[in-house]
Amino acid sequence: MEGEPAASESDASARPAPRPTTSTTRRVPPRSSSSPLILAALAALALAPVAHADALQDVRAGKILRYGSDMEGGGPYAFPDPASPRSVTGFEVEMMERLAGGLGASAEFSQGQWDKLLSVLDARRFDAVVNGYEWTEVRSRDYLATRPYYIYQLQLMGPTGGSIGSWEDLKRPRADGRRWRVGVLVGSAADVFAEEEAGSTIEVVRFDGATDAMLATQNGQYDLTLQDVPAALFYKDRFPGLEAIGPPVSRGYYVIYTRKADAALRDALDEGIGRLAASGELRRIYEKYGIWNDLQRELTEFAGPIAPASGQFSARGWELLARYRGRLFDAARVTLGLSFGSMPLAMAIGLAVALGRMYGPGWLRGLLAAYVELIRGTPLMLQLYVLFFVLRLPPWVAGIAGLALNYSAYEAEIYRAGLQAVPRGQMEAALALGMSRWTALRRIVIPQAVRLVIPPVSNDFIALFKDTSVCSVITLVELTKQYSILANSTGGVVEFAAATAAIYLAMSLPLSWFSRWSERRLGAEGVKGGLA
């Protein structure tokens, strides 16, 4: 508060953080799909001692309170305003405007991916994070949390008219012997609760977005989805094929997070939330968005602060890696399966497309050229969405097919360059000797082209290992996604980044060695210049 000295870091660590009423909120959002090596370097920089100005003083001096949030599937928290598409609205947006006003500043929304918001907070791109972030023990160890501004529960949703009546029904074995497949937002309280309750009758399927889980459930690809009550209420009209099943389960707190060094800002936000709750302003906002319920009455009586973390995730270094190495290796097998399942298909399709463009009839050449430009001109993530959500292919089929189709366009251009690098006289001589065009291609032209394209094709194969990370959007937990989950749920960012990078290196190095061996074996080194 103005006129008062900022709280010291030691005061911040002494101040307890809020304790949830259940154990349903122990995991933080998953990590990033960026390169683990880059993340390790950034984490090392983040750990270096750097002096920064007091955030509360900066907010008051600059008259701007910057907060991180995510509009993607973000209703009713923060989403594009239908009345003004370039603006942002939501119950958290309105709450932050009032909190900033109490500090003599205006609130500034800063877009970020939900599972990366705390990492961006560390980079000081904004002052606080507010996006339906639950209080968890791990987060309370690394960040300061305000008093709760909303008490949430979890709502099970399923197809209208289904046979399930409540969450407890999922604990009984199905007649067909299958497990119930429940979609959740990865790293959320719903993820943790479902995992703890899973047993032998529930399979937890993790999505990068809450609305993705709802869409897949409405499509019939999965049985049910578990969502925070505010999201379930907000999106019920968008997904008319879904209905709420049974009463809400579990409960926990939404809090605002600040950096450990910014205790003064946290305290000021704390007081602001208390004033909004006491004045009834929070209730007016929540009623506007249809998310007020009797649980929120506790906010005005909250005496706080919430209790400190228990130290459950205090393991570090080799101990941490040893505990979770099995999950890393399982994810690495998913990465290998996607890579070796898709790359041979991509090479075969690419070769066929290249041959068709060079030796096919005119109509076929035009069609294949359009295919290459379409695939190269659209993102892999969009292609995976079409295969998974529109065509409703199973995750593994959609993942392998999406990677194969995407890379086939690039392989086609590599093979076309290799075929064009073979002297035209080779084909003419083969035809003069009485060979058919297909025989000449198979025995004379293609073998020479293959020698030329070994280096770029090998490079693509290595790149494919990393691009499998995009498949996390269709619920496949490959190596990078698992790194993200483990790093953020345990706080072991550096340890898991280093381990993940080492595994990627161990998988890609043999391909580099095989490529060089193949070049020597086939004598390709002397003709590499043909692709220049």
Side-chain angles (χ1 to χ4, degrees):
M1 293 176 293
E2 196 147 15
E4 294 183 359
S8 68
E9 187 168 347
S10 60
D11 294 336
S13 60
R15 172 194 172 98
R19 171 172 299 281
T21 53
T22 73
S23 63
T24 63
T25 53
R26 278 191 256 145
R27 183 177 301 179
V28 299
R31 80 43 268 152
S32 157
S33 61
S34 305
S35 166
L37 286 173
I38 295 176
L39 288 173
L42 292 176
L45 290 175
L47 294 176
V50 180
H52 293 291
D54 178 80
L56 180 59
Q57 293 178 3
D58 290 345
V59 168
R60 285 175 168 156
K63 298 188 180 304
I64 295 177
L65 173 63
R66 297 178 178 86
Y67 66 96
S69 188
D70 186 5
M71 286 187 290
E72 182 184 356
Y77 308 88
F79 59 97
D81 188 349
S84 178
R86 291 183 178 274
S87 302
V88 184
T89 189
F91 80 88
E92 290 178 339
V93 174
E94 296 196 20
M95 179 187 70
M96 291 305 293
E97 289 172 352
R98 287 158 178 76
L99 291 176
L103 300 177
S106 59
E108 182 179 293
F109 174 91
S110 184
Q111 170 65 26
Q113 186 170 325
W114 187 77
D115 57 6
K116 298 183 181 69
L117 289 175
L118 290 176
S119 298
V120 183
L121 176 66
D122 286 333
R124 306 189 70 84
R125 295 295 298 275
F126 35 71
D127 306 302
V129 166
V130 51
N131 196 208
Y133 261 56
E134 309 95 349
W135 185 92
T136 72
E137 292 188 0
V138 171
R139 290 175 186 150
S140 71
R141 184 188 65 196
D142 298 327
Y143 304 93
L144 296 180
T146 64
R147 62 184 288 164
Y149 64 85
Y150 191 83
I151 301 173
Y152 71 88
Q153 289 184 287
L154 305 175
Q155 179 64 60
L156 187 65
M157 304 174 71
T160 303
S163 59
I164 294 297
S166 69
W167 178 265
E168 293 302 315
D169 291 346
L170 301 184
K171 298 180 180 180
R172 292 192 289 269
R174 297 178 58 162
D176 58 11
R178 294 193 303 109
R179 292 193 293 173
W180 296 102
R181 295 177 298 173
V182 180
V184 298
L185 173 64
V186 65
S188 66
D191 185 353
V192 177
F193 178 83
E195 183 68 25
E196 291 177 346
E197 296 281 318
S200 60
T201 60
I202 299 173
E203 176 187 350
V204 181
V205 183
R206 296 170 175 87
F207 288 82
D208 282 351
T211 53
D212 291 343
M214 295 182 197
L215 177 58
T217 303
Q218 180 172 264
N219 287 344
Q221 295 167 277
Y222 297 99
D223 300 309
L224 304 147
T225 181
L226 187 65
Q227 300 290 338
D228 286 14
V229 166
L233 292 172
F234 183 82
Y235 288 111
K236 64 180 180 180
D237 293 334
R238 184 196 289 189
F239 300 101
L242 299 180
E243 65 178 1
I245 297 176
V249 295
S250 184
R251 58 173 279 168
Y253 297 138
Y254 289 158
V255 296
I256 301 174
Y257 283 104
T258 67
R259 291 176 288 270
K260 277 285 189 180
D262 296 334
L265 176 60
R266 188 274 309 275
D267 292 344
L269 293 173
D270 236 9
E271 292 187 10
I273 294 171
R275 287 194 302 268
L276 292 178
S279 67
E281 185 63 18
L282 272 185
R283 176 169 183 167
R284 286 191 287 273
I285 294 173
Y286 296 165
E287 286 179 340
K288 175 181 177 180
Y289 289 91
I291 61 172
W292 173 265
N293 54 46
D294 288 341
L295 281 179
Q296 310 316 315
R297 299 181 187 278
E298 299 178 23
L299 296 175
T300 59
E301 304 168 358
F302 182 80
I306 313 179
S310 65
Q312 176 181 356
F313 296 98
S314 59
R316 281 292 183 265
W318 288 111
E319 180 185 353
L320 189 63
L321 292 177
R323 182 180 301 177
Y324 293 102
R325 66 181 184 276
R327 297 186 67 171
L328 283 176
F329 291 148
D330 289 343
R333 283 193 285 270
V334 173
T335 295
L336 287 171
L338 289 169
S339 301
F340 283 95
S342 59
M343 192 62 185
L345 288 175
M347 294 167 63
I349 296 171
L351 179 58
V353 170
L355 291 172
R357 291 191 67 185
M358 290 194 63
Y359 301 105
W363 66 268
L364 181 60
R365 291 198 296 269
L367 187 64
L368 293 176
Y371 166 82
V372 170
E373 295 307 320
L374 174 65
I375 297 298
R376 292 197 305 175
T378 54
L380 172 58
M381 182 180 294
L382 179 60
Q383 295 162 13
L384 290 172
Y385 265 83
V386 170
L387 292 171
F388 184 71
F389 290 107
V390 179
L391 300 183
R392 303 184 186 182
L393 297 178
W396 272 96
V397 176
I400 291 175
L403 289 168
L405 291 174
N406 185 267
Y407 269 77
S408 70
Y410 299 96
E411 297 308 297
E413 292 301 278
I414 291 174
Y415 281 120
R416 191 163 68 94
L419 292 169
Q420 289 175 337
V422 177
R424 187 181 300 272
Q426 297 285 319
M427 173 64 78
E428 295 173 352
L431 296 176
L433 292 174
M435 292 185 186
S436 66
R437 181 175 292 272
W438 167 243
T439 302
L441 284 171
R442 181 169 54 86
R443 301 187 63 179
I444 305 299
V445 178
I446 292 178
Q448 294 184 71
V450 167
R451 296 193 310 175
L452 297 170
V453 302
I454 286 176
V457 169
S458 299
N459 185 66
D460 273 359
F461 203 171
I462 294 171
L464 180 63
F465 275 105
K466 273 75 78 177
D467 277 353
T468 56
S469 62
V470 184
C471 292
S472 64
V473 301
I474 56 172
T475 74
L476 292 173
V477 181
E478 40 60 58
L479 185 56
T480 301
K481 189 66 173 181
Q482 189 64 262
Y483 152 74
S484 166
I485 294 171
L486 293 176
N488 287 281
S489 63
T490 66
V493 175
V494 175
E495 294 93 329
F496 287 113
T500 301
I503 294 174
Y504 271 118
L505 192 62
M507 292 190 296
S508 60
L509 272 180
L511 283 176
S512 299
W513 296 335
F514 177 75
S515 173
R516 289 194 291 270
W517 175 84
S518 298
E519 291 172 18
R520 294 192 298 269
R521 180 76 173 178
L522 298 176
E525 292 177 335
V527 291
K528 284 181 185 175
L531 284 179

